[in-house]
């Protein structure tokens, strides 16, 4: 041995690098690691020291081998199969927001090992819950899960130190605990994306071993993100697990699913009947929205138009908000509902909760919220699956709740009859539907009504809709450039129609554009407001003089 404590090279052998020493040391100590780490390919027999290394040689210790995080020579292995390990910290890019955030910045996690840790934690938690019996609340269950996570992290941290590896930083431990909590009680690898305030839609497409994730940001940009699953099978299993939590099956027998996620996002998934497994998640970032926000914050309409539709809500007019996908229909329904007096009792009927009026207790004092529940299992003699609860049943049930308003969410098919029943049963109902134009909205609803069966003729559908609907609001959206070269997604009201029955044999209904698009495509007053409706709305606070002034300032606006 030399005077400085290093062995002289013999027979052309070089001193071991740190990673080689760790592999040998780690293999020798596998049976001394945590119980969870055992059984991953070890035969229980420690291997002999590698050639050129004596058991008492201190120069092979990692402390003499240089920096842990340097590239290439001497780099710490990214993952050891016998225990959990964070990969080395990486410099984040703007698109890498899927990483868990800790005190030391963004930390990239090994999700395969997190899945294994989740299974171990779940097993331990189940054992503890079995001892408690059926006396555990959801809050207690989650707290017990957090305790198990803490115990596991502490055990594995001690294992790192005992095997000569650098300990986790506080930021890394925090990131790992967050990831395990999300995997056990939340949305796993999807959780960071759902929590991002700048994300509006999350699009996931899995093709065999490839999982592609795209984020549609609130400014209209589309950016790619890291996968949330390592294969199509894993994505299916993940979505199926989410559905099972709410008794919504996602199987080959039920190849599509709509689901409300914790936090209020809406998930739509399809597989087996699609070329690939596809998932789309819509985030609802703006819940407690007001008319002032729509006018001045989002610049979605003029003050006169906002004044008009607010008066329509207070007057109990039935309103249909239409537009293409992503045009802001649900946000507008929330804004319209903000004009409902707080003492009125409201009922909402949705396939998945999206309006969340029942959560805005400071604004809406009494809200009874119903949600559709699909059945499962075999179809009974009544043609229904066990456990199914339809919106039709919900509306029928709601007549005993002394409601002032019944608000039906999205109308995509025969559920238009639920909307009609609500509009015919009381004033001020509000619904949404997809349509390509304001005029086409009624025709779209007629088609939906006729899906009910051959007993529904076009004439019957038109007569019902024309009598029930008072106002149609049509929304438009597009991505527009900012002066600084960035982009934003702009949404606005393009047109507002008044709907009335008509003796016209061809149509059966008449529409009058109260607000129509100007040259910029934004809705402005046309001056076509009927005097009877104008006086009714004036009694509910509508400023007729402002409406007339706006129409006179836009003499060239289309009114046909």
């Amino acid at each position: 041995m030399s005077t400085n404590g290093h062995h002289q090279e013999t027979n052309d052998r070089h001193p071991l690098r740190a990673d080689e020493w760790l592999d040998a040391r780690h293999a020798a100590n596998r049976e001394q690691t945590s119980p969870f780490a055992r059984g991953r390919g070890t035969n229980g027999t420690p291997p002999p020291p590698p050639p050129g290394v004596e058991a008492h040689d201190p120069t092979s210790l990692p402390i003499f081998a240089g920096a842990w995080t340097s590239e290439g020579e001497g780099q710490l292995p990214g993952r050891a199969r016998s225990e959990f390990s964070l990969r080395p910290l990486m410099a984040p890019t703007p698109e890498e927001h899927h990483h868990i955030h800790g005190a030391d910045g963004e930390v990239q996690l090994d999700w395969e090992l997190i899945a294994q840790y989740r299974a171990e934690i779940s097993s331990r938690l189940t054992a503890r819950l079995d001892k408690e019996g059926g006396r555990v609340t959801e809050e207690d269950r989650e707290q017990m899960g957090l305790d198990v996570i803490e115990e596991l992290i502490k055990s594995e941290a001690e294992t790192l130190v005992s095997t000569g590896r650098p300990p986790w930083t506080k930021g890394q431990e925090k990131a790992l605990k967050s990831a395990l909590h999300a995997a056990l009680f939340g949305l796993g690898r999807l959780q960071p994306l759902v929590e991002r305030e700048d994300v509006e839609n999350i699009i996931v497409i899995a093709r065999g071993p490839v999982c592609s994730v795209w984020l549609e940001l609130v400014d209209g940009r589309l950016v790619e993100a890291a996968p949330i699953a390592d294969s199509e099978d894993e994505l299916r299993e993940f979505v199926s697990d989410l559905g099972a939590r709410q008794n919504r099956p996602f199987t080959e027998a039920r190849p599509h699913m709509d689901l409300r996620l914790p936090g209020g996002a809406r998930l739509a998934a399809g597989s087996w009947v699609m070329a690939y497994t596809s998932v789309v998640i819509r985030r609802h970032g703006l819940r407690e929205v007001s008319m002032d926000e729509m006018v001045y914050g989002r610049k979605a309409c003029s003050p006169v138009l906002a004044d008009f539709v607010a008066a329509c809500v207070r007057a109990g007019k039935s309103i249909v908000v239409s537009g293409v996908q992503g045009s802001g229909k649900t946000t507008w329904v929330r804004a319209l509902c903000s004009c409902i007096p707080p003492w009125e009792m409201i009922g909402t009927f949705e396939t998945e909760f999206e309006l969340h009026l029942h959560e805005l207790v400071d604004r809406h004092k009494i809200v009874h919220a119903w949600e559709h529940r699909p059945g499962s299992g075999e179809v009974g003699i009544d043609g229904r699956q066990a456990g199914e609860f339809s919106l039709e049943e919900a509306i029928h049930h709601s007549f005993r709740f002394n409601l002032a308003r019944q608000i039906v969410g999205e109308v995509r098919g025969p559920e238009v009859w639920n909307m009609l029943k609500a509009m015919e049963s009381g004033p001020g109902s509000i619904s949404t539907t997809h349509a390509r134009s304001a005029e086409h909205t009624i025709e779209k609803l007629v088609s939906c009504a006729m899906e009910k069966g051959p007993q529904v003729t076009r004439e019957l559908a038109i007569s019902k809709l024309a009598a029930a609907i008072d106002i149609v609001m049509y929304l438009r959206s597009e991505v527009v450039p900012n002066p600084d070269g960035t982009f934003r997604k702009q949404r606005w009201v393009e047109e507002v129609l008044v709907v009335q029955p008509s003796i016209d044999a061809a149509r059966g209904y008449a529409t009058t554009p109260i607000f129509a698009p100007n040259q910029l495509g934004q809705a402005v007053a046309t001056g076509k407001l009927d005097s009877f409706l104008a006086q009714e709305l004036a009694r509910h606070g509508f400023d007729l003089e402002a409406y007339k002034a706006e129409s006179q300032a836009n003499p060239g606006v289309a009114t046909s």
Side-chain angles (χ1 to χ4, degrees), residues 34 36-37 40 82-85 112-122 152-153 156 168 176 180:
S34 68
F36 176 62
R40 297 185 190 167
S82 61
E83 62 189 15
F84 181 85
S85 171
E112 180 182 348
L113 288 180
I114 286 178
Q116 296 178 20
Y117 268 40
R118 179 191 182 279
E120 171 68 11
I121 294 170
S122 180
L152 185 63
I153 295 300
E156 295 301 313
W168 290 323
L176 180 54
L180 289 172

Side-chain angles (χ1 to χ4, degrees), residues 46-60:
V53 177
E54 298 180 13
H56 62 274
D57 182 9
T59 62
S60 59

Side-chain angles (χ1 to χ4, degrees), residues 457-511:
T457 64
R458 175 178 172 80
E459 291 73 20
L460 174 62
I462 288 177
S463 65
K464 287 281 191 180
L465 290 166
I469 298 173
D470 298 310
I471 303 293
V472 170
M473 288 181 60
Y474 187 75
L475 311 181
R476 180 71 69 181
S477 67
E478 68 178 29
V479 178
V480 297
N482 290 321
D484 60 358
T486 59
F487 294 86
R488 60 189 172 92
K489 192 170 187 177
Q490 180 67 47
R491 301 176 176 91
W492 68 91
V493 181
E494 185 181 65
E495 197 166 0
V496 177
L497 304 178
V498 170
V499 182
Q500 295 174 314
S502 172
I503 59 174
D504 185 343
R507 297 184 67 189
Y509 65 92
T511 59

